[in-house]
Amino acid sequence: GAGVSQTPSNKVTEKGKYVELRCDPISGHTALYWYRQSLGQGPEFLIYFQGTGAADDSGLPNDRFFAVRPEGSVSTLKIQRTERGDSAVYLCASSKQGASTDTQYFGPGTRLTVL
Amino acid sequence: GNSVTQMEGPVTLSEEAFLTINCTYTATGYPSLFWYVQYPGEGLQLLLKATKADDKGSNKGFEATYRKETTSFHLEKGSVQVSDSAVYFCALSRETSGSRLTFGEGTQLTVNP
């Protein structure tokens, strides 16, 4: 079946602009995660959704970052007033139920470049 | 808090060599442990996992055993191939941390023919 998809694959924007990154999880997966990966580093957790609600948003770096999942499927990560330090690969993952033993399936990522 | 420490890389081996990538963790309780792999130009994918102490995860000739006493989950393969060249990430997940994954920094493996 289809895996996790993310769009766009690449996004170049100017400092101060607003961007939206989209994630389409595996059908039927209730848990959805966003991570951010900088060059040469492991992914870092941003936010976790269980269904439509954000169960844990403690990884969001500041209030410029916001994410939604209104119908419990597709999620959008929104970044306001982008800064050069936001440049990274943004990864989305989904799992069946969000248990710690569940496998998380990752999308290919969106590479965000802020000029 | 939770953390994962991987051996420093990069690691370069010849084909058919034995591979060990060390991984140790810090976490209270009993986390689940994972190895993810990122092949060139591809996304992160699960290689293997172990969800309780003394469990052994295995896949594609790779193995790792969950050692609670040494808080380790070292990755091993008896004979590497050129196609194993990739970045390997050790990670943990705990129910009380919302099941988020905490990753190590990754180890770049290059296997030469």
Side-chain angles (χ1 to χ4, degrees):
Chain A
V4 178
S5 62
Q6 293 185 246
T7 55
S9 55
N10 277 286
K11 177 71 177 178
V12 180
T13 191
E14 293 180 345
K15 181 174 176 300
K17 299 289 189 184
Y18 168 83
V19 296
E20 289 190 352
L21 312 179
R22 175 188 166 110
C23 172
D24 207 333
I26 293 172
S27 177
H29 281 192
T30 63
L32 185 147
Y33 305 79
W34 284 99
Y35 295 86
R36 179 168 71 172
Q37 186 175 21
S38 300
L39 193 62
Q41 303 291 317
E44 292 182 323
F45 169 78
L46 295 176
I47 186 169
Y48 157 51
F49 286 90
Q50 184 58 256
T52 60
D56 182 1
D57 66 358
S58 62
L60 295 177
N62 51 59
D63 61 6
R64 295 186 297 106
F65 288 75
F66 188 72
V68 295
R69 194 186 185 199
E71 296 177 358
S73 178
V74 171
S75 176
T76 305
L77 178 66
K78 309 180 182 197
I79 310 174
Q80 298 178 323
R81 304 183 304 280
T82 52
E83 299 178 357
R84 293 197 180 88
D86 298 335
S87 296
V89 177
Y90 289 81
L91 299 172
C92 176
S94 70
S95 72
K96 272 190 185 175
Q97 296 178 329
S100 64
T101 54
D102 285 351
T103 297
Q104 292 185 26
Y105 296 88
F106 283 81
T110 293
R111 182 176 298 279
L112 175 66
T113 303
V114 182
L115 302 177
Chain B
N2 303 328
S3 67
V4 175
T5 302
Q6 287 183 236
M7 67 184 290
E8 292 184 10
V11 175
T12 302
L13 297 173
S14 298
E15 206 164 23
E16 299 184 4
F18 183 84
L19 168 71
T20 300
I21 301 178
N22 290 337
C23 170
T24 57
Y25 68 89
T26 300
T28 55
Y30 296 89
S32 296
L33 301 174
F34 304 80
W35 277 99
Y36 277 84
V37 59
Q38 195 165 34
Y39 297 104
E42 298 185 18
L44 269 173
Q45 55 187 273
L46 179 72
L47 180 60
L48 53 83
K49 68 180 182 181
T51 59
K52 57 183 190 292
D54 299 325
D55 269 2
K56 178 187 283 188
S58 60
N59 187 25
K60 299 181 180 180
F62 291 88
E63 293 184 338
T65 301
Y66 186 156
R67 300 285 188 203
K68 179 71 174 171
E69 62 277 12
T70 54
T71 61
S72 65
F73 193 55
H74 305 320
L75 183 68
E76 296 183 336
K77 186 173 186 182
S79 176
V80 293
Q81 306 300 311
V82 171
S83 58
D84 293 328
S85 298
V87 182
Y88 292 81
F89 292 94
C90 185
L92 70 81
S93 175
R94 290 183 60 231
E95 209 70 46
T96 52
S97 299
S99 71
R100 70 174 80 169
L101 287 167
T102 299
F103 286 88
E105 292 195 350
T107 301
Q108 171 78 58
L109 170 67
T110 301
V111 181
N112 295 319

